[in-house]
Amino acid sequence: MRSPIPGLGKVMVFLAAALASASLAIPEAWGEEGVQYGQVGTDVTLSCAGAHASSMVQWRRAGATALPEGSDIHQGDLVLSHVGLAAAGIYSCHSEDGGLLHTVSLRLGYLPGVPFVSCRASDYENFSCSWTSSVETFLPTKYITTYRKKSLTGEEKRRNKNRHMGPCLQDLSRPGTCTVHGSEFWSSYRLNITEVNPLGSSFRLLDITMQAIIKPDPPEGLVVEPIPLAPRRLHVSWKYPSSWPKEPHFQLRFRLQYRPVIHRSWSVVETVNLSEVITDAFAGLEHVVQVSAKDFLDAGNWSEWSAEARATPVRDLTTTASEETTTDTRLASLAEESSQAPNPEPINHSDSLEKMAVLVSLGIFAFFVLAAVLVITILIWLRVRKHSKDKTKPHNFLVAATHLKALPSESGCRGEAQIL
C-alpha cells in the first residue's frame, strides 16, 4: 500500500521525484559502463551500437551455446521476450565475419516496493530512522531521505522556512539509517523515504511525534556489589546513557530486574535514583542484574536492557543448620516452579522499609480504633447505670408513703388515751 500524498508532503515528494528522475536518466550512475537493466517479466531489447542498419549481425551470450528461448533479432537488435532472472548475463553482437561490434551486460530485477520505515529518538534533540526494502529487486538501490516539520505557524514559515525542512542525513557507516539533528521535542515531523533503482522508484511518507518515538539508550556503568554483614542485600548503581543530555527538565526513571542464576523469574523494581539496594537476595547465591530507562514523564518506550552484571551476597556465618536447610528447600521449590513455568511474569517486590511503614501505620490505626470502641463502651455503661438509678427512686418513695399511711394519727392516739 502506497502512502497518500497530502498537501503538506507535496514539496518533499516533488524533490524526491526530481532526484530519482535524475538518477534514472544517467545509467552510468548505477555502475559500470556497458550495463543495461531490465525488468523481469517484460520484453528487453539490446542494441548493437557498432552495427549499420542494413548489415547482418550475430548475437552471442557468454558462457552459453545458444540465446535464451524466445529471443529474436530485429534490425540488428536482440529482443528478449518475457525475460526471467536466468536471462541475465553478458551479450555481444558480431559482424558477418565474426568481428566484435558491441558488448553489453544485462542485469535483471524488479521495481522497488514501498520501504518499511521505523524511527526512534535516543534523546530529545535528535531522531533517527531506519528502513528495509519490501521487495528484493536484485538491482542496485539508492535512498532519498527528506523531512519536514508539520503545522508551521505563519511566523515560522515567514521567518525561517528552510530550517524546518531538509535532508535526513544518511550515515555511510550504518546503511539504511538517517538522522535529523536539532529536532524539537514537542513537534511533529513528516518523513519521506524514497527507494530508487534503475527501473523506477517508490516512497513512504511517515508522520512521527517526538514524544511517541523517544526511546533512550540503555543505562551505562552498571555495578553490583555485596553489602558487608548483610547476607540478603546487594547494592546496585548505574549511570545515565551518554547519549541522553542531563537537563533538569528531561529526566529519566529506571527499571531494575534481578534474579538468582538458577531461577528464571525476574523480580522488578522501579526507581528514579541512580542506585538501589536489593533486600531479598539469597545469601551465598550468585544473582544477575540488568537495568533499563524511560522518560520520566512516561513518554515513548523503555530502553533495551543493559548488559548483565553479576554479584553474590555475603554468607551469614551465624545461620544455623536448620535455616540453611530451609533456604535450600525454598531454592529447590523455586527451581521446580521455574521448570514448570518457563516464561513466568516478572514479580514485583516492595522494599522492606515500605512494608515496615505499612505495618506500623496499620498498628497505629488499630490502636485508635480499639481506644474509640473502649471509650464508647464506657460511656454507654455509665449512661445505662445512671438510668437504672433514676428508675429506683420513685419505687422507694411509694414504699415510704405507704408506710406513713399505715401509722396511727396523733389525734387518734390522744382520744384513745382519754377513754382509758
Side-chain angles (χ1 to χ4, degrees):
M1 179 178 178
R2 294 178 184 271
S3 302
I5 309 176
L8 185 60
K10 285 185 178 180
V11 175
M12 300 168 60
V13 174
F14 291 155
L15 176 61
L19 294 174
S21 299
S23 300
L24 293 173
I26 309 175
E28 291 77 4
W30 294 101
E32 303 174 352
E33 293 186 10
V35 177
Q36 183 171 335
Y37 299 95
Q39 183 178 350
V40 173
T42 64
D43 295 344
V44 176
T45 300
L46 302 179
S47 300
C48 186
H52 298 288
S54 59
S55 61
M56 298 292 295
V57 298
Q58 300 177 356
W59 280 92
R60 302 172 187 174
R61 183 185 179 189
T65 58
L67 295 174
E69 184 178 356
S71 59
D72 184 31
I73 299 177
H74 180 69
Q75 294 183 353
D77 297 335
L78 177 62
V79 180
L80 304 175
S81 301
H82 303 289
V83 294
L85 288 173
I90 299 176
Y91 292 81
S92 58
C93 63
H94 302 262
S95 61
E96 292 183 277
D97 58 2
L100 178 63
L101 298 176
H102 182 65
T103 300
V104 59
S105 176
L106 177 62
R107 296 189 60 179
L108 300 172
Y110 299 92
L111 285 167
V114 179
F116 299 114
V117 183
S118 62
C119 298
R120 69 174 284 253
S122 58
D123 57 67
Y124 54 86
E125 295 178 340
N126 312 281
F127 69 88
S128 299
C129 297
S130 59
W131 59 86
T132 57
S133 178
S134 60
V135 176
E136 187 175 4
T137 64
F138 301 99
L139 297 175
T141 302
K142 295 180 180 180
Y143 291 90
I144 301 170
T145 55
T146 57
Y147 78 94
R148 178 173 182 175
K149 182 181 176 182
K150 296 180 62 179
S151 304
L152 292 177
T153 64
E155 179 64 21
E156 287 178 323
K157 291 180 180 179
R158 181 173 62 257
R159 184 161 39 100
N160 197 358
K161 181 178 180 180
N162 294 332
R163 183 177 172 228
H164 301 287
M165 63 180 298
C168 182
L169 300 178
Q170 300 184 38
D171 188 351
L172 297 180
S173 63
R174 295 189 303 161
T177 62
C178 70
T179 303
V180 174
H181 298 285
S183 56
E184 298 175 359
F185 186 76
W186 305 109
S187 299
S188 299
Y189 295 85
R190 172 159 292 169
L191 193 76
N192 181 1
I193 305 295
T194 300
E195 181 177 338
V196 185
N197 72 13
L199 302 180
S201 63
S202 183
F203 66 91
R204 181 180 294 277
L205 294 178
L206 183 64
D207 292 336
I208 59 176
T209 303
M210 288 291 291
Q211 301 98 303
I213 64 171
I214 193 76
K215 182 180 180 181
D217 289 329
E220 302 172 357
L222 179 62
V223 177
V224 185
E225 298 173 321
I227 299 178
L229 305 178
R232 300 203 63 193
R233 294 175 180 263
L234 289 171
H235 182 266
V236 187
S237 61
W238 58 89
K239 299 178 181 178
Y240 266 61
S242 56
S243 59
W244 187 271
K246 293 183 179 180
E247 295 291 340
H249 303 296
F250 293 95
Q251 298 292 321
L252 293 176
R253 60 191 181 98
F254 303 95
R255 181 176 58 175
L256 183 74
Q257 69 173 12
Y258 58 95
R259 63 177 175 84
V261 291
I262 67 169
H263 195 37
R264 295 185 180 180
S265 293
W266 294 94
S267 298
V268 181
V269 176
E270 291 191 15
T271 180
V272 297
N273 302 317
L274 291 174
S275 64
E276 186 72 20
V277 175
I278 298 174
T279 60
D280 57 353
F282 292 98
L285 187 62
E286 186 180 33
H287 287 65
V288 58
V289 181
Q290 291 179 298
V291 65
S292 65
K294 190 177 183 181
D295 178 73
F296 182 80
L297 298 178
D298 206 33
N301 302 292
W302 284 100
S303 72
E304 301 296 332
W305 289 105
S306 66
E308 293 182 352
R310 299 192 177 197
T312 303
V314 297
R315 291 183 177 274
D316 187 0
L317 300 179
T318 63
T319 302
T320 62
S322 60
E323 290 174 339
E324 292 178 357
T325 303
T326 303
T327 302
D328 294 339
T329 304
R330 184 180 178 190
L331 291 176
S333 63
L334 288 174
E336 183 178 355
E337 291 175 1
S338 65
S339 62
Q340 294 176 355
N343 293 312
E345 293 295 327
I347 304 173
N348 289 322
H349 290 278
S350 300
D351 190 85
S352 59
L353 295 178
E354 295 179 358
K355 292 182 179 179
M356 184 179 296
V358 172
L359 291 176
V360 171
S361 300
L362 291 176
I364 294 174
F365 177 74
F367 172 77
F368 281 109
V369 170
L370 291 175
V373 171
L374 182 60
V375 170
I376 293 173
T377 304
I378 293 174
L379 291 176
I380 293 175
W381 178 76
L382 292 175
R383 184 169 182 177
V384 170
R385 184 179 177 184
K386 182 179 179 182
H387 185 65
S388 62
K389 286 183 177 181
D390 293 341
K391 283 185 176 181
T392 58
K393 288 181 178 180
H395 175 72
N396 295 334
F397 175 77
L398 291 175
V399 172
T402 305
H403 179 71
L404 292 175
K405 187 176 181 181
L407 292 175
S409 61
E410 183 178 355
S411 59
C413 291
R414 288 179 180 176
E416 290 178 357
Q418 291 177 359
I419 292 173
L420 292 176

